[in-house]
Amino acid sequence: MTPLPQISTGSAPGKVILVGEHAVVYGQPAIAVPLNNLHATATITSAGHYLEKLVVDAPGIALHTSFNKLAEDHPLAAAILETMRTLNISEAPGGTLRVHSALPVAAGLGSSAAITIAIARALAACFATELPATAAAQIASAVEHLHHGSSSGIDPTVIAHHAAICFTKNKDPEFIYPHSSLELVIADSGLTGSTREAVNAVRKLHSDSPDRFSSIFAEIGALAFSARAPLEAGKHEMLGALMNANHRLLQAIGVSTALLDALCAAAIQAGAYGAKLTGAGTGGCMIALVDKSGAPEVQKALLAAGAKSASITTLESTTR
Ligand code: MEV
């Protein structure tokens, strides 16, 4: 038996959706970017052979238990099992799998996909196997499907590729290369929002009023389509206006909250180019697109308006 390496690690970033959530589930395009400063990490400290059991330690959710005691559909067990299936591994390694995430849970920043991909990468490293980004995204999509019901796959894709993308369901992502860096303030409303519940609620509204909702989704898709050029060209005023329009449409489909609306208004009042909720909504985070020099002012305004936390993050420019 090949000896296992002592320590194997994997990590994956969080993400924000700049334009297009929810409509993306219905086949419209959406734009998402990775978060360079917020990651999930997984570390396997191997016992050196397969006979030991695998202990899963996730202090963030107060979990410390043996892998074989976890239900198969537990998100961490599902991440391990799906990765083993993909990599053709019949037995989990012995040792400890420690999971840590700096991403708030159920807040729209892609915490579940980031944790799954971090685990998948740690397992692949443990077995000295390559795990291409597309395979990592497929693993996270399968786990997400189990927990979030029908999802578009945008979170796993942007997180696995760690790159800005224009995403359409069931298609390969198109990579985006912003010419200038993008400054965002991300504020957490402090209330969790379940992706599954939000997506299901929107589906119910869509099936009750298909024409009205299909036309809103098409409008959101058109905003995402229009956002790509200003994002690439660094025209942040234009991009901000599209984000504001997107937030209004997200309000119209019922996924915003009074606090998220108040935070968006406060950010714009403090000088942001644009602001919107990000992710599934019904709680969670909002984002404000800002000028670098104006970021601290917007951060202060968001905290004063009731955000639980507000952090400044930069998406660096990239070239082809
Ligand atoms: C969640 O980050 C984005 C949603 O559009 C769901 C999905 O696309 O899977 C709400």
Side-chain angles (χ1 to χ4, degrees), residues 155-168:
D155 289 16
T157 305
V158 64
I159 288 168
H161 289 278
H162 200 154
I165 56 166
C166 180
F167 178 87
T168 305

Side-chain angles (χ1 to χ4, degrees), residues 15-311:
K15 67 87 191 49
V16 291
I17 296 180
L18 288 183
V19 187
E21 48 275 270
H22 285 290
V24 69
V25 176
Y26 298 83
Q28 298 292 339
I31 293 182
V33 301
L35 289 172
N36 298 324
N37 58 343
L38 288 175
H39 283 79
T41 54
T43 306
I44 298 170
T45 308
S46 162
H49 52 76
Y50 294 87
L51 299 178
E52 292 284 325
K53 61 184 184 184
L54 179 67
V55 171
V56 181
D57 184 34
I61 52 167
L63 180 87
H64 182 91
T65 189
S66 157
F67 165 57
N68 54 25
K69 285 204 183 122
L70 286 175
E72 281 196 9
D73 65 350
H74 184 283
L76 301 185
I80 297 168
L81 289 168
E82 199 54 43
T83 306
M84 287 171 57
R85 253 194 293 278
T86 301
L87 298 180
N88 242 329
I89 298 167
S90 53
E91 271 190 88
T96 303
L97 165 66
R98 196 157 286 121
V99 180
H100 173 77
S101 175
L103 293 154
V105 175
L109 303 186
S111 136
S112 346
I115 288 172
T116 298
I117 292 175
I119 290 175
R121 288 183 172 150
L123 277 166
C126 185
F127 288 91
T129 309
E130 282 296 313
L131 183 69
T134 41
Q138 271 160 13
I139 291 170
S141 287
V143 173
E144 193 165 79
H145 220 73
L146 211 62
H147 294 279
H148 294 169
S150 87
S151 51
S152 66
I154 189 170
D155 289 16
T157 305
V158 64
I159 288 168
H161 289 278
H162 200 154
I165 56 166
C166 180
F167 178 87
T168 305
K169 194 173 172 176
N170 300 328
K171 290 197 181 154
D172 285 340
E174 291 173 35
F175 295 99
I176 299 180
Y177 302 90
H179 290 179
S180 48
S181 63
L182 199 73
E183 206 73 8
L184 295 171
V185 185
I186 303 177
D188 192 341
S189 69
L191 306 165
T192 52
S194 152
T195 300
R196 185 191 193 95
E197 282 167 27
V199 169
N200 285 345
V202 172
R203 176 171 307 104
K204 164 96 180 59
L205 292 168
H206 176 250
S207 71
D208 291 348
S209 317
D211 293 347
R212 179 169 132 68
F213 274 73
S214 297
S215 113
I216 297 178
F217 295 149
E219 277 186 69
I220 295 177
L223 294 175
F225 184 78
S226 309
R228 187 172 172 164
L231 172 59
E232 287 200 310
K235 294 190 172 160
H236 293 164
E237 241 166 79
M238 200 183 279
L239 180 58
L242 295 167
M243 288 166 63
N244 290 338
N246 190 179
H247 185 72
R248 286 192 289 274
L249 293 169
L250 289 164
Q251 286 175 315
I253 62 168
V255 294
S256 193
T257 65
L259 181 52
L260 286 167
D261 291 347
L263 294 175
C264 291
I268 288 161
Q269 180 73 27
Y273 294 123
K276 63 180 276 291
L277 72 84
T278 191
T282 67
C285 290
M286 55 74 67
I287 51 172
L289 178 63
V290 294
D291 187 71
K292 201 175 181 83
S293 61
E297 200 53 44
V298 172
Q299 183 184 33
K300 214 164 73 191
L302 286 168
L303 291 170
K308 184 182 150 211
S309 65
S311 59

